[in-house]
Amino acid sequence: MKNIASRRLAGVCAFPFAALVSALVAGCGAGDDVEEVLPQLAAATGAPLATCAGLPGKFSFANTTLASAVPQAEGTLTVGGTPVGAHCLVKGEMFRRTGPLDGKSYAIGFEMRMPDAWNGRFFYQANGGTDGAIGTATGGVNGGAGLTHALKMGFAVISSDAGHTSAQNFSFGIDPQARLDYGYQAAAKLTPMAKSLIASAYGKGPDRSYFGGCSNGGRHTFVAATRLPAEYDGYLAGSPGYRLPLASIANMFGAKQYATVATNPADLNTAFTVAERTTVTKAVLAKCDALDGATDGLVQDVAACQKAFDFNRDVPTCTGARDGSCLSAAQKTAIAPIFSGATDSKGTNFYASFPFDAGLAASGVAQWEFSESVNRNALSTSHVWGTPPPDPATFVPATYALNTPIDTMLASIVATTTTYTEAGMSFMVPVQATRLSTLKNRGAKMMVYHGVSDPIFSLNDTTAWYEGVGRDTGNAAGFLRYYQVPGMGHCSGGPGTDQFDMLTPLVNWVEKGQVPDAVVATARGAGNAGGVNTELPVDWSPGRTRPLCPFPLIARYRSGDPESAGSFACKA
């Protein structure tokens, strides 16, 4: 069935991205629309759970073993203090094998939760980090904690370890197949099995299928959108590290920079203390906070801020000893390249720049910049997508991060051998990431969100991807919405409104043709069922709300209560 899909961005004409920019400059009539014939997918219809405990004896699928299927009474599982309805919990694995190089046992472990009252939909929960653990299959991919999740909404949800266990992190990179399963093959193997399992449990397969996650889960989502464009109808990606190997090396580029000014070589926190990061944050807000019409501790106009704020000019330079109120000239020299974008030995940028925002003093920044850079990212770069991987028994992460040349790291993630026939950048990065015409033309939809203060995956990288989709598909707005979340760090946290539901509008867009515009986001202040965000400024209302606007629109203050989303409008 074909319907006319109308694309309006909050009262602004909707065009392919380049044309949209021109239209915003030239102006357009309030009633103007650009229309395109796009497929409209039908809504899902639910069914009651027909069987649970009998599934291990009934269900058969190649290379798959069900270990258990156990009915779960309402309230057996709670999320954010809220009981989850009755459902069937299935645990199993696919492709059990022994690694030929390390002799270790591997399998793609999974759990699937299927509600008694099913809405006819399937949700693939893509997990974060380097996987290795089967997260509780609730489909909780919305911002913050404690809001709605796919299982609560009636979806059947699958979660997996992507082909290895947490005990095997990061040494699973020794095994070539485990690398590929983690990169992209686990999702391709699990998808048809999960749909078949649903059919066995309900007597019918899912009418609509959705895929989502944040961080590496966002990368998984981008990979699925390019490698599995016919399998899912909706994709929800948060803070997508879709160029994860490059982001990891950029993180270690930053560690090298910090090491040059750290007062304690064993502690990179001493290179850029929380007091100094707070000083920079105050300088950013002094230049940028009011650009959106409200002085409220949030920078909505991200692009204008980068033009208004100058790191060297606007941050005080120490004339004496460092005391937290200024940065030394050496600090500015070391830190500025981290924001302008990591470079190789020739001075060529290999990863995106990072925007200045209000969340620089948040704890997540310290975690990624000063800790993970010399631990997790050193291990993942070298072991998981570097070729050849080093010997885990003698590897020292901090030594690798601080002493290995950037060019050597970059060469390792594109290298192959007769054993490791697919390079890290091949199995980790989406295939032709911006070419989503297949997804678009079959009526599927995609929503993406990213914290402006994300310290590990750059907002600017995702913005460049969105603009590329517009160029390559002729029109991104017809099937894709991208939301920047001011103040928010990596997936959640930071001084921002980090709690929101994008799954509901995604479903309504896919199945009802209701094009999403602003999404209301809430701060996690006192009394929040999902846990309090301790990094909220004390002068904020605990329940502050803001509209998250589809890019390139931003939230501008109109009038009224500055703590309420209703006082802001999405404008160019």
Side-chain angles (χ1 to χ4, degrees):
M1 178 179 179
K2 300 264 187 178
N3 279 351
I4 297 296
S6 176
R7 304 177 305 281
R8 180 190 296 277
L9 289 179
V12 179
C13 299
F15 295 91
F17 185 83
L20 173 58
V21 174
S22 298
L24 295 179
V25 173
C28 61
D32 291 343
D33 282 312
V34 174
E35 295 181 338
E36 181 180 16
V37 178
L38 294 176
Q40 173 59 58
L41 300 178
T45 57
L49 185 68
T51 183
C52 178
L55 282 171
K58 172 187 176 183
F59 178 71
S60 177
F61 197 88
N63 302 299
T64 303
T65 300
L66 298 190
S68 62
V70 181
Q72 307 289 297
E74 181 176 0
T76 303
L77 174 67
T78 61
V79 177
T82 301
V84 175
H87 62 278
C88 178
L89 171 58
V90 178
K91 295 186 178 182
E93 65 179 29
M94 298 187 75
F95 293 94
R96 170 64 61 181
R97 62 185 178 83
T98 299
L101 299 182
D102 58 10
K104 295 181 178 179
S105 182
Y106 290 94
I108 302 172
F110 67 88
E111 79 167 39
M112 192 158 191
R113 294 178 185 262
M114 297 181 284
D116 288 13
W118 180 49
N119 64 12
R121 302 180 180 97
F122 164 50
F123 189 91
Y124 188 109
Q125 175 181 308
N127 295 313
T130 45
D131 286 282
I134 304 171
T136 303
T138 60
V141 298
N142 301 290
L147 211 58
T148 190
H149 50 86
L151 183 62
K152 179 181 178 181
M153 295 166 65
F155 287 73
V157 182
I158 194 170
S159 171
S160 90
D161 58 15
H164 61 275
T165 67
S166 56
Q168 293 168 331
N169 277 337
F170 295 81
S171 64
F172 78 87
I174 299 295
D175 184 79
Q177 183 57 51
R179 288 182 168 207
L180 301 182
D181 284 337
Y182 167 64
Y184 66 92
Q185 290 187 7
K189 294 170 181 176
L190 286 163
T191 295
M193 184 280 300
K195 292 183 179 182
S196 180
L197 181 57
I198 290 171
S200 291
Y202 294 103
K204 59 167 280 188
D207 296 316
R208 300 272 75 88
S209 298
Y210 295 80
F211 197 112
C214 195
S215 187
N216 178 56
R219 180 196 68 84
H220 278 305
T221 306
F222 273 34
V223 168
T226 57
R227 290 185 181 267
L228 304 172
E231 292 292 339
Y232 292 89
D233 307 304
Y235 300 82
L236 177 53
S239 300
Y242 78 103
R243 298 200 299 163
L244 206 162
L246 293 178
S248 179
I249 296 174
N251 193 228
M252 289 185 284
F253 170 89
K256 294 175 186 291
Q257 296 294 114
Y258 289 128
T260 65
V261 290
T263 57
N264 177 358
D267 183 6
L268 294 184
N269 285 276
T270 62
F272 197 15
T273 67
V274 65
E276 291 167 336
R277 289 185 283 120
T278 299
T279 293
V280 176
T281 298
K282 291 178 178 179
V284 172
L285 289 172
K287 284 288 183 178
C288 303
D289 193 351
L291 294 175
D292 52 37
T295 304
D296 57 358
L298 287 172
V299 178
Q300 301 285 355
D301 199 337
V302 178
C305 180
Q306 310 319 303
K307 295 178 181 179
F309 176 75
D310 184 282
F311 179 65
N312 285 307
R313 178 196 65 205
D314 297 326
V315 176
T317 302
C318 300
T319 56
R322 288 170 50 185
D323 62 3
S325 67
C326 56
L327 296 183
S328 69
Q331 280 180 296
K332 289 187 175 182
T333 298
I335 295 169
I338 299 172
F339 284 93
S340 61
T343 58
D344 61 17
S345 64
K346 296 180 180 179
T348 303
N349 286 101
F350 63 84
Y351 189 63
S353 59
F354 283 80
F356 288 99
D357 190 46
L360 186 57
S363 60
V365 173
Q367 175 191 347
W368 286 104
E369 296 288 272
F370 311 133
S371 177
E372 302 293 4
S373 60
V374 292
N375 288 290
R376 183 194 304 189
N377 285 323
L379 285 160
S380 55
T381 300
S382 59
H383 287 65
V384 179
W385 46 78
T387 298
D391 181 357
T394 59
F395 185 78
V396 181
T399 300
Y400 176 86
L402 297 176
N403 296 339
T404 302
I406 291 295
D407 288 6
T408 301
M409 296 179 183
L410 291 172
S412 75
I413 63 174
V414 296
T416 61
T417 66
T418 55
T419 300
Y420 302 97
T421 58
E422 194 164 348
M425 282 296 287
S426 174
F427 66 75
M428 288 296 292
V429 176
V431 179
Q432 297 180 319
T434 60
R435 298 185 181 180
L436 299 176
S437 293
T438 299
L439 185 154
K440 169 190 172 183
N441 292 336
R442 58 177 293 269
K445 302 292 188 288
M446 191 171 189
M447 294 178 72
V448 178
Y449 63 90
H450 202 138
V452 180
S453 288
D454 191 327
I456 179 63
F457 299 144
S458 170
L459 175 93
N460 294 342
D461 202 35
T462 301
T463 302
W465 165 83
Y466 176 83
E467 294 172 347
V469 173
R471 290 190 296 269
D472 285 355
T473 63
N475 182 353
F479 72 103
L480 171 63
R481 286 289 186 272
Y482 165 46
Y483 297 84
Q484 300 180 344
V485 189
M488 189 175 84
H490 185 57
C491 292
S492 63
T497 52
D498 71 344
Q499 185 168 255
F500 45 86
D501 172 17
M502 287 194 182
L503 183 54
T504 297
L506 177 60
V507 170
N508 290 337
W509 193 12
V510 169
E511 301 181 26
K512 299 178 182 178
Q514 297 176 2
V515 181
D517 285 318
V519 173
V520 176
T522 307
R524 288 183 291 130
N528 188 284
V532 174
N533 178 3
T534 59
E535 294 178 320
L536 296 180
V538 295
D539 58 347
W540 285 22
S541 166
R544 169 183 281 195
T545 57
R546 284 292 183 273
L548 303 181
C549 300
F551 183 85
L553 307 182
I554 64 169
R556 295 191 183 278
Y557 180 68
R558 297 184 299 182
S559 62
D561 180 5
E563 297 297 323
S564 172
S567 301
F568 293 77
C570 293
K571 294 181 177 292

